[in-house]
Amino acid sequence: MTTTVTLTGTGVPIPSPGRAGAGVLVRHGTTVLQFDAGRGTVLRLAEAGVGLHEVTALFVTHVHSDHVIGLPDLVMGRWIQDHVWRTGPLDLHLPEGEAAGFAARMLDPYAADIALRMEHVQEAPPEPRLHAFACGSEPREIWSRDGVTVEAVAVHHEPVPDAVAYRVRTPDGTVVISGDTRVCDEVEELSQNADVLVHEACRTTALHAAVAGTPFEKIFSYHADTVALGGLAKRADVRHLMLTHLIPAPGDAAGEREFAHDVRLGGYEGVLTVGRDLMTATIG
């Protein structure tokens, strides 16, 4: 049995051709875990060969729209199919605070649609099971089943509160998903000897002068600089680093090479993937 890690979305809020919103899929046997659900997640899951009824649980890193805008789509889509698959409600795990509040309200705009569908086919309304957790600077286990565990730790995406990274342990190895964060000690510790680290990437060093004095200067301050990220991956002895949530989105292969150059400049010498949607890494 192997563990696979698939990038279901490598984009950011600004639309970019071929890049769905943030998302990472981790599969081990029949355990199917989705992390975040940005724009187009449902379609990317279908393209990855995953039915919505097959998703075991979904984990949210933080409340920014580009990470959760696809969540109602996933929940509603699964519910609409439930009279066929009978899989029941989806388990949603998310940090306490704004993310949990969003999930509790996310189906409100669909009240009329839900009522109409229940008149025709559906037997009960969609009721995703919300599991909100508190998280600090030390990792804590929040989920476990069939030899797979998920841990969460708070990260630094200020001013966004309650942002977390996740570590998935399977019998094959370890996968870490950073969520959105600047390079920080918490993710470095979480990533020690990880088989795969999926980390957001922002070319802050290269573009610092170009964004000085613009709103992007603030945005760059709470995302992960590619050069510093290379240093983190080297110190943590990460075997495979996958870059996602690419800022700015590379328009071609030359742009992707610039991301890779930055990371290598930071000292990382392991396996490096500049992410595109549906790229997959295998452990085991």
Side-chain angles (χ1 to χ4, degrees):
M1 189 176 294
T2 58
T3 298
T4 60
V5 183
T6 302
L7 304 179
T8 57
T10 58
V12 294
I14 299 173
S16 179
R19 296 188 183 276
V24 181
L25 174 69
V26 179
R27 286 182 278 187
H28 177 77
T30 59
T31 300
V32 180
L33 308 179
Q34 177 68 25
F35 294 83
D36 284 338
R39 179 189 301 121
T41 293
V42 165
L43 297 180
R44 286 292 186 259
L45 286 172
E47 291 164 342
V50 175
L52 300 184
H53 64 285
E54 297 177 289
V55 178
T56 307
L58 191 145
F59 301 81
V60 173
T61 62
H62 66 293
V63 75
H64 262 155
S65 62
D66 57 314
H67 291 253
V68 297
I69 202 167
L71 191 53
D73 188 19
L74 198 157
V75 170
M76 288 288 289
R78 179 183 170 110
W79 173 66
I80 289 168
Q81 299 174 356
D82 196 51
H83 66 281
V84 176
W85 299 107
R86 299 294 183 183
T87 48
L90 179 64
D91 285 302
L92 303 181
H93 299 264
L94 22 66
E96 291 179 347
E98 296 298 332
F102 167 83
R105 301 185 303 270
M106 67 180 176
L107 298 183
D108 290 353
Y110 303 96
D113 180 22
I114 291 168
L116 288 168
R117 292 184 187 277
M118 288 179 63
E119 289 183 15
H120 293 274
V121 179
Q122 310 306 128
E123 298 173 359
E127 294 179 348
R129 290 186 290 254
L130 304 186
H131 307 273
F133 58 87
C135 203
S137 59
E138 295 295 326
R140 58 168 294 192
E141 183 177 305
I142 61 166
W143 186 90
S144 180
R145 185 182 302 174
D146 298 331
V148 179
T149 62
V150 178
E151 300 165 279
V153 70
V155 296
H156 294 279
H157 193 42
E158 293 87 355
V160 180
D162 306 313
V164 300
Y166 292 103
R167 177 166 59 194
V168 185
R169 298 185 188 271
T170 80
D172 302 310
T174 302
V175 180
V176 174
I177 297 126
S178 74
D180 281 6
T181 178
R182 66 177 186 265
V183 170
C184 64
D185 293 341
E186 289 83 355
V187 172
E188 184 170 332
E189 290 298 319
L190 199 69
S191 303
Q192 290 296 319
N193 301 308
D195 294 282
V196 177
L197 167 60
V198 181
H199 207 294
E200 68 133 282
C202 178
R203 300 194 65 226
T204 307
T205 297
L207 299 174
H208 177 73
V211 302
T214 73
F216 281 100
E217 189 171 29
K218 294 181 180 179
I219 294 171
F220 279 28
S221 71
Y222 55 83
H223 288 288
D225 173 51
T226 40
V227 177
L229 178 56
L232 179 153
K234 177 180 176 62
R235 292 188 300 273
D237 197 22
V238 170
R239 293 170 180 78
H240 185 172
L241 174 61
M242 302 182 79
L243 305 185
T244 189
H245 199 275
L246 305 172
I247 306 173
D252 52 23
E256 293 174 354
R257 287 194 293 272
E258 291 176 339
F259 276 85
H261 172 76
D262 290 353
V263 172
R264 298 303 188 193
L265 192 63
Y268 182 63
E269 299 174 343
V271 179
L272 175 61
T273 297
V274 181
R276 298 178 187 171
D277 287 19
L278 298 179
M279 280 184 166
T280 296
T282 301
I283 306 170

